[in-house]
Amino acid sequence: YYAHDKLDDFINTINSHLEPLFMQIRKGMSEDDGRPHYALVNLAETEISKMASDYTENELELFRKTMDLIILSENGFASSTDILNLADQLKTKKMKKKEAEQLLKVFVEDRLLSERNGEYTLHTRCIIEMEQYILSNYQDVARKCNICHSLAIQSLVCDSCGTGMHLPCVRRYFRAQTEPRCPQCNDVWSCDIP
């Protein structure tokens, strides 16, 4: 039996049974349209779980470098050109651009990355699964949305105080306001509201 208003309780019950297995169902939000997504996340950080991967060492290195580009960018995107240029800078083993191009397609198919018009960002699944990793390894630049308190890769930022918000959260928050103001510092919100 499924009751929509009891979904959180249902997931909490499942998570209580998954806890001894070091797993958890986590909820995230699509940064494009604000729709909720759920992912089963491995919480164990053992040497074995770190080694368990479908990717080779140099493929993982390209993914980490791609993640660097995306997270360190102003808008949460990295161009395919910039990513492909990383292929011959890998320390583990150089990769041909054609191989890197194929690997980017695999990352999109595996829902690690999303692609739009030659620009790549982290897929919702990747953000849910890697939120703790990103927050701990990119402490200076990673930010949480001021509205939903989830990791915000694609976000708008207040010019006055640096508060960041997901695009869907910005739309919802400012929907009824005639003169949008930052929820943190109360200054006029200068970014365009999508």
Side-chain angles (χ1 to χ4, degrees), residues 165 170-177 180-183 189 193:
M165 294 189 288
V170 166
R171 272 193 295 272
R172 277 194 305 274
Y173 184 78
F174 292 130
R175 185 178 298 148
Q177 296 182 22
R181 295 194 166 274
C182 174
W189 188 263
I193 299 168

Side-chain angles (χ1 to χ4, degrees), residues 9 20 26 30 38 45 64 67 72 90 93 101 114 116 186:
D9 295 337
R26 287 196 180 154
S30 166
Y38 294 88
E45 289 194 27
R64 279 191 292 272
M67 191 184 312
L72 299 175
L90 301 177
K93 179 185 165 199
E101 223 171 275
S114 294
R116 189 180 333 138
N186 208 30

Side-chain angles (χ1 to χ4, degrees), residues 5-186:
D5 59 334
K6 303 280 188 211
L7 182 59
D8 289 339
D9 295 337
F10 182 65
I11 289 173
N12 287 337
T13 302
I14 292 171
N15 281 339
S16 68
H17 294 283
L18 290 174
E19 189 178 345
L21 304 172
F22 302 103
M23 299 189 90
Q24 183 180 59
I25 294 175
R26 287 196 180 154
K27 181 179 181 180
M29 176 189 66
S30 166
E31 293 190 323
D32 292 328
D33 58 18
R35 287 189 355 233
H37 289 254
Y38 294 88
L40 180 63
V41 179
N42 181 359
L43 302 175
E45 289 194 27
T46 64
E47 287 306 311
I48 293 171
S49 68
K50 289 178 185 175
M51 289 171 27
S53 174
D54 295 334
Y55 303 105
T56 64
E57 195 174 328
N58 69 323
E59 290 171 340
L60 288 173
E61 184 182 357
L62 181 64
F63 179 75
R64 279 191 292 272
K65 288 181 176 289
T66 300
M67 191 184 312
D68 287 345
L69 282 178
I70 291 168
I71 293 171
L72 299 175
S73 72
E74 287 186 22
N75 63 357
F77 284 89
S79 73
S80 59
T81 305
D82 289 342
I83 296 170
L84 294 176
N85 286 337
L86 296 172
D88 57 357
Q89 300 171 18
L90 301 177
K91 292 177 183 151
T92 48
K93 179 185 165 199
K94 306 289 185 249
M95 189 181 289
K96 293 179 183 166
K97 297 225 188 297
K98 194 70 177 166
E99 290 174 287
E101 223 171 275
Q102 287 302 115
L103 184 58
L104 281 176
K105 287 179 184 175
V106 171
F107 288 155
V108 170
E109 287 170 13
D110 289 350
R111 294 190 174 125
L112 294 174
L113 298 177
S114 294
E115 186 267 337
R116 189 180 333 138
N117 302 325
E119 296 277 312
Y120 290 84
T121 189
L122 299 181
H123 190 280
T124 305
R125 172 189 171 213
C126 181
I127 294 171
I128 294 170
E129 289 181 357
M130 301 195 70
E131 182 172 9
Q132 291 310 115
Y133 172 85
I134 292 169
L135 289 172
S136 64
N137 288 297
Y138 299 90
Q139 291 175 357
D140 297 337
V141 291
R143 65 172 51 92
K144 286 193 171 194
C145 175
N146 195 61
I147 303 301
C148 71
H149 308 291
S150 295
L151 178 64
I153 302 297
Q154 301 171 45
S155 61
L156 294 177
V157 179
C158 175
D159 291 336
S160 301
C161 69
T163 294
M165 294 189 288
H166 290 116
L167 303 179
C169 292
V170 166
R171 272 193 295 272
R172 277 194 305 274
Y173 184 78
F174 292 130
R175 185 178 298 148
Q177 296 182 22
T178 52
E179 185 180 28
R181 295 194 166 274
C182 174
Q184 190 67 35
C185 69
N186 208 30

